[in-house]
Amino acid sequence: PEKDRGRFASGVIEKAKDQLADRMVSHIEAELKYKTEHGDGATASDDKYRKMDLTTRSVFDKGLEKVIGNPGMDVLERMRREHVEGGEADEEFTAHNNGVDRTTSPKQQWIKVLPGGVDGPITAETCGAVNNRTYDDEPMFEKDKEVTDMMELKVVKDAMLTLYEVVAVRLYTGPMFQRYNALLRACSSTIADHMDAAKSAKGGQLTSEEEDAELDKAMQKSQESISRRYVNTIHAINSALIKIGRVTPLPPSGTGYRGVAGLKIPECFLKADDFGCRGGVEGAFM
């Protein structure tokens, strides 16, 4: 059985490589045709796709606290308030993932994770309430698994996750991923827009001191723009992912891929920076 699984996995990987190669060839052919028709400086993606929003290493190095603000002391209770008492608690939205559209609200999602944790404060009895999630297509966790049972999972123990980190990750595996990621990407856009405006005001170039000062202003503007929505939950997810990453082995190839669709690859992937590096930082979770 182990060999069969290995052969199956290898087959899937090879098929994915072939499909990726076919798409890359098609894309390159389209780009060459477009350049022939519109000139060497033009790309087909200029018209077809919207720009992929990425942030910079400078923003990453500043830390999540600078981007969205600091979490509170009682993280789990503050997470409850963010989903149950926040201004958009009952606001319905539709999330799409794995070919499934789900219409829900932040409050509904909190109830699915902690059915007894609506009115607060969070107690051991609250976390022990039966979890009545009803998604038949949810592969990450067993249906009707209590949060207290999830605390006994090997990965949770190996990573030494706290209760609020488990709750946060569980929320992220449902439709709420859309809200969290949209908020983080909005922060990235706010910071990028401020920095672009600052550079334009200085003739396109900032000194290192000016750039650092403007970056601090941009991050303050980013914090103000989100009005502390989901700040505690996002910090909990980030903390959990860091811990899980420390106990999760890399894939055998040592290579990870980030799939994108309908987005124009930004210039930072094509032009090296002062350190000879190309690429960017995803402002949201994967």
Side-chain angles (χ1 to χ4, degrees):
E2 191 65 37
K3 290 183 178 180
D4 290 341
R5 281 195 293 269
R7 283 195 293 268
F8 176 76
S10 298
V12 170
I13 292 172
E14 290 304 316
K15 185 176 180 180
K17 287 181 178 179
D18 291 340
Q19 291 175 342
L20 178 61
D22 289 342
R23 293 186 66 180
M24 290 178 66
V25 169
S26 298
H27 178 75
I28 292 171
E29 289 175 343
E31 290 290 343
L32 290 173
K33 180 180 178 182
Y34 195 89
K35 287 180 184 295
T36 300
E37 296 173 353
H38 297 84
D40 288 340
T43 63
S45 57
D46 289 339
D47 298 329
K48 187 175 180 182
Y49 303 121
R50 67 179 177 86
K51 181 182 176 182
M52 182 180 182
D53 291 325
L54 294 173
T55 189
T56 64
R57 179 175 174 178
S58 297
V59 175
F60 179 81
D61 289 343
K62 290 280 188 178
L64 184 59
E65 292 82 1
K66 285 282 190 177
V67 177
I68 64 173
N70 292 308
M73 293 295 290
D74 190 355
V75 178
L76 190 56
E77 171 58 18
R78 290 174 184 268
M79 286 168 55
R80 182 194 69 80
R81 295 175 192 169
E82 289 172 350
H83 294 80
V84 176
E85 300 176 5
E88 57 184 46
D90 294 310
E91 182 180 300
E92 290 193 339
F93 65 96
T94 300
H96 179 84
N97 200 19
N98 291 330
V100 178
D101 288 327
R102 298 168 179 158
T103 299
T104 184
S105 70
K107 187 174 182 178
Q108 290 175 28
Q109 286 306 298
W110 182 265
I111 292 171
K112 286 182 181 296
V113 175
L114 288 176
V118 177
D119 298 324
I122 307 299
T123 65
E125 290 73 21
T126 295
C127 297
V130 175
N131 186 332
N132 292 315
R133 293 182 79 122
T134 57
Y135 298 141
D136 293 329
D137 57 335
E138 189 168 26
M140 292 300 292
F141 299 103
E142 297 177 23
K143 294 192 298 292
D144 298 329
K145 198 174 190 69
E146 299 176 5
V147 171
T148 47
D149 289 336
M150 292 174 61
M151 294 297 295
E152 300 302 315
L153 294 174
K154 184 177 186 300
V155 65
V156 172
K157 289 188 171 184
D158 288 349
M160 295 187 289
L161 298 186
T162 63
L163 176 61
Y164 66 80
E165 289 168 337
V166 170
V167 171
V169 171
R170 184 67 185 268
L171 282 164
Y172 185 79
T173 62
M176 284 303 297
F177 81 91
Q178 186 181 84
R179 284 296 172 96
Y180 307 146
N181 284 345
L183 184 145
L184 287 168
R185 291 186 179 119
C187 287
S188 295
S189 295
T190 298
I191 293 170
D193 289 346
H194 178 93
M195 296 303 292
D196 288 343
K199 288 177 182 177
S200 296
K202 290 286 187 176
Q205 191 70 36
L206 295 172
T207 66
S208 58
E209 292 80 7
E210 289 172 336
E211 183 170 354
D212 197 55
E214 290 297 337
L215 189 55
D216 284 338
K217 293 178 185 177
M219 290 179 147
Q220 183 61 41
K221 188 180 294 185
S222 169
Q223 292 182 34
E224 293 168 356
S225 70
I226 64 173
S227 302
R228 291 199 60 80
R229 284 178 297 149
Y230 306 118
V231 168
N232 294 276
T233 304
I234 289 172
H235 272 290
I237 295 169
N238 186 59
S239 176
L241 291 179
I242 291 172
K243 289 182 178 180
I244 292 171
R246 289 171 179 161
V247 298
T248 303
L250 288 171
S253 65
T255 303
Y257 293 93
R258 170 66 167 110
V260 297
L263 298 172
K264 177 185 175 182
I265 299 299
E267 187 179 0
C268 60
F269 271 84
L270 308 174
K271 183 179 178 181
D273 62 16
D274 294 339
F275 298 97
C277 298
R278 289 183 295 174
V281 178
E282 165 67 272
F285 299 114
M286 296 291 279

